[in-house]
Amino acid sequence: MDNLELLYKPLSVSRAGSGGRLIVASNRVPVPTASGVPAAGGLAVALQSALRGRGGVWFGWSGKTSQDVDPAPQLRTLGPISFAVSDLTRRDVAEFYHGFANRTLWPICHYRLDLARHSEGDAAGYFRVNEFFARRLEKMLRADDIIWIHDYHFIPMATFLRLLGVKNRIGYFHHIPWPSPETAAAMPGYGRLLRAFGAYDVVGFQTQPDVNNFRACLTAAGAGRAIDADWCESGGRQFKVGAFPISIDAEAFALEARLAERNVLVKRMRASLEGRPMLIGVDRLDYSKGIKSRLEAFAACLENYPHIAKARATMLQITPKSRSEIPEYARIQNEVAEEVGHINGKHGDIDWTPLRYINKTMSQAALAGLYRLARVGLVTPLRDGMNLVAKEYVAAQSPDDPGVLVLSQYAGAAQELKAALIVNPYDIGATSAAIARAIEMPLEERKDRWRDMMVALRANSIDHWTANCLKAITGGAAEEPECSLHPAGSIIRSGAIARAEPWLAASPIWSSLGY
């Protein structure tokens, strides 16, 4: 890693408007490899493109642990982009990442209250780590930087930045679903989390239902109010709230899929099918993805539609393992593996394995080619913020012979890809019927549905998403209503906040400001 001197060195900048650097903060940072190659992925590519355009810093956790409670930040620079990361202690990782973020916020936001863990220690660790990162980030900021914070790991980071006197424009994007008030209320420290959003200038969600849920939560909890269709108020600050559905570069992905027809792995898969129809599912191994229910629906399709079984339809499920340290994830790994064995044992034959199950990652090129090869794309999460696999599957299809997308009504992508076969993933029978319909769908209907979905993808590319988010954060999307700030730039207006947020009283930042 490089020396941090240039990153922290003050710069003479213009304070007029939005001409400064872009500062992206996310839990994990795609730090370039030693060879200078940045990590791949649609979101990473889009954010790196925005960072290159303005210059800036991508800041977050290194993904590593350290025994040092105050580890030295690490920096790697690639052109105009600096990637700044910091290690965390084992305790921080246990409480902040494995604990509150992934065993409390994640299940609640995905409507799995039965899996949510309530721990005061984890909650304290979550806020402590957010303060730690805020302190690190504040030292790197310049007066006209634009700050864009991503996802549920860092909801309260802007609160700590404001308490440190940061006056910059700060936006937040929530990549996962935001639940209804009765579900969200199960979050420990629910009120303080909601009030933390008031430190932002713009809060973005994937879909309008997510926006509606958030506005309802803010009001029902007495943590703020909705001013109008676009603006909310909390803690004496007004902030914009809107839907910014994330997307992909459909044209680039389509090209990659065409080129991937020559990919060695794709050729092997095509040869092994021997003309049989193929279905594909690609998901990180997570209980929110509905993988077990999807496998059950495929098995029901083989049972209820004998001609599908006779045609020896083959399903490929690619599912890299994730978060195996968390017990709920270890259980779902075992459940899915058992279901795979059951289906193949019951329906398979000596020369036919109905379900091919792979627990490893694949390159984007290989996935693009496999999507193009598949007659049916199965994207059936029980709950998902957006699900870009659905969009990638559509973009990868051949215009002359496109496949059919079977899509859960609980995926954010269903708000845009209305020409997919929309299913309730909890209804195994209806989902199996949709799978059979997709396999048998006439070519002209497949073409019509695909064209309609491509229109939606072209109208909202990943570049559109990035531009729209940054336009809103910089204040270019709408004139901001007047708001009242503390002279130091914080969200604090009076001691009433201290009484409402006793958790802040113990914060070193709070103490240093005399509150």
Side-chain angles (χ1 to χ4, degrees):
M1 290 290 182
D2 300 332
N3 191 283
L4 289 174
E5 179 183 355
L6 294 178
L7 185 62
Y8 289 108
K9 185 178 180 180
L11 184 70
S12 177
V13 296
S14 167
R15 296 173 181 265
S18 57
R21 301 179 305 172
L22 174 62
I23 310 298
V24 173
S26 61
N27 178 56
R28 297 297 291 271
V29 178
V31 179
T33 63
S35 61
V37 178
L43 177 61
V45 170
L47 292 178
Q48 285 171 3
S49 176
L51 283 161
R52 277 194 300 271
R54 304 177 68 105
V57 179
W58 197 331
F59 169 83
W61 178 34
S62 66
K64 301 175 183 178
T65 58
S66 170
Q67 294 183 347
D68 189 350
V69 295
D70 189 25
Q74 305 154 53
L75 174 72
R76 189 177 300 280
T77 299
L78 185 67
I81 309 173
S82 296
F83 298 83
V85 297
S86 182
D87 297 343
L88 291 174
T89 66
R90 291 185 180 276
R91 177 191 173 197
D92 287 340
V93 173
E95 295 175 351
F96 157 74
Y97 182 71
H98 292 311
F100 196 79
N102 288 319
R103 296 192 73 184
T104 303
L105 291 182
W106 178 272
I108 292 174
C109 285
H110 289 85
Y111 290 79
R112 291 301 305 269
L113 299 184
D114 57 313
L115 298 180
R117 183 172 90 165
H118 293 70
S119 164
E120 290 185 7
D122 287 351
Y126 176 77
F127 285 96
R128 182 182 67 249
V129 170
N130 268 268
E131 178 179 342
F132 167 80
F133 279 122
R135 284 180 172 275
R136 288 296 176 90
L137 181 57
E138 186 271 336
K139 295 176 182 178
M140 302 176 188
L141 296 177
R142 299 170 184 167
D144 63 348
D145 285 342
I146 301 300
I147 306 167
W148 193 6
I149 296 174
H150 287 263
D151 226 1
Y152 61 103
H153 310 88
F154 287 159
I155 291 174
M157 184 186 287
T159 297
F160 292 111
L161 288 172
R162 297 299 187 200
L163 289 169
L164 285 165
V166 172
K167 301 177 183 179
N168 302 58
R169 298 277 300 183
I170 309 178
Y172 171 84
F173 188 77
H174 194 75
H175 288 261
I176 66 176
W178 186 266
S180 60
E182 59 272 17
T183 300
M187 295 178 186
Y190 179 48
R192 77 180 74 160
L193 281 171
L194 284 176
R195 283 185 283 273
F197 285 101
Y200 292 97
D201 296 290
V202 176
V203 174
F205 295 95
Q206 296 279 19
T207 68
Q208 191 58 44
D210 291 326
V211 172
N212 296 342
N213 282 343
F214 174 77
R215 289 160 58 88
C217 287
L218 201 64
T219 302
R225 64 188 180 95
I227 299 172
D228 57 27
D230 299 316
W231 292 88
C232 293
E233 181 275 333
S234 180
R237 295 192 83 244
Q238 295 175 347
F239 57 102
K240 186 173 183 178
V241 180
F244 300 86
I246 197 169
S247 195
I248 64 171
D249 184 337
E251 300 300 341
F253 201 87
L255 175 60
E256 185 156 33
R258 289 196 299 273
L259 296 175
E261 290 181 342
R262 300 191 294 270
N263 182 283
V264 173
L265 186 148
V266 175
K267 285 183 176 180
R268 284 170 48 205
M269 185 67 194
R270 182 185 297 108
S272 73
L273 288 170
E274 299 179 335
R276 295 188 289 261
M278 171 183 156
L279 304 82
I280 190 169
V282 178
D283 310 83
R284 183 173 55 81
L285 190 52
D286 189 288
Y287 51 77
S288 68
K289 302 300 182 182
I291 299 170
K292 186 170 183 289
S293 297
R294 181 186 310 159
L295 302 186
E296 291 172 352
F298 174 62
C301 181
L302 297 178
E303 290 182 7
N304 299 335
Y305 302 89
H307 59 288
I308 300 291
K310 188 175 181 180
R312 297 196 164 185
T314 300
M315 179 177 173
L316 173 63
Q317 179 64 50
I318 301 172
T319 307
K321 294 181 181 179
S322 72
R323 301 174 186 167
S324 300
E325 306 88 345
I326 299 176
E328 293 81 5
Y329 287 82
R331 283 198 294 272
I332 193 65
Q333 288 174 17
N334 293 333
E335 290 174 4
V336 170
E338 288 176 5
E339 186 65 23
V340 170
H342 172 72
I343 291 172
N344 285 333
K346 182 176 182 180
H347 298 283
D349 208 335
I350 193 169
D351 58 351
W352 174 47
T353 302
L355 179 55
R356 305 185 190 185
Y357 180 58
I358 299 175
N359 279 138
K360 63 181 181 182
T361 58
M362 291 194 176
S363 69
Q364 181 170 285
L367 287 175
L370 293 171
Y371 290 146
R372 192 175 181 87
L373 186 61
R375 171 61 63 87
V376 181
L378 297 176
V379 182
T380 55
L382 304 179
R383 189 72 61 168
D384 215 334
M386 179 52 63
N387 197 302
L388 294 181
V389 168
K391 296 186 175 186
E392 290 174 348
Y393 175 79
V394 172
Q397 298 309 299
S398 166
D400 297 324
D401 187 22
V404 180
L405 175 64
V406 177
L407 179 61
S408 167
Q409 68 189 57
Y410 300 115
Q415 300 288 318
E416 296 176 89
L417 303 179
K418 299 182 185 299
L421 295 184
I422 306 297
V423 299
N424 174 358
Y426 293 95
D427 189 335
I428 303 302
T431 303
S432 69
I435 293 172
R437 181 184 173 190
I439 292 172
E440 299 172 326
M441 186 176 290
L443 177 60
E444 288 308 311
E445 183 180 355
R446 286 190 276 130
K447 286 183 176 180
D448 288 343
R449 288 176 177 273
W450 175 80
R451 280 192 290 262
D452 286 349
M453 289 187 285
M454 282 301 292
V455 168
L457 292 186
R458 289 177 177 131
N460 178 36
S461 70
I462 185 64
D463 291 331
H464 285 113
W465 175 78
T466 305
N468 290 337
C469 288
L470 289 177
K471 187 178 181 183
I473 296 169
T474 59
E479 183 177 352
E480 181 181 355
E482 293 183 3
C483 62
S484 175
L485 282 172
H486 183 271
S490 77
I491 62 167
I492 307 303
R493 294 197 304 164
S494 72
I497 299 294
R499 291 189 294 275
E501 303 286 16
W503 61 280
L504 280 174
S507 161
I509 292 181
W510 181 272
S511 301
S512 69
L513 291 176
Y515 291 102

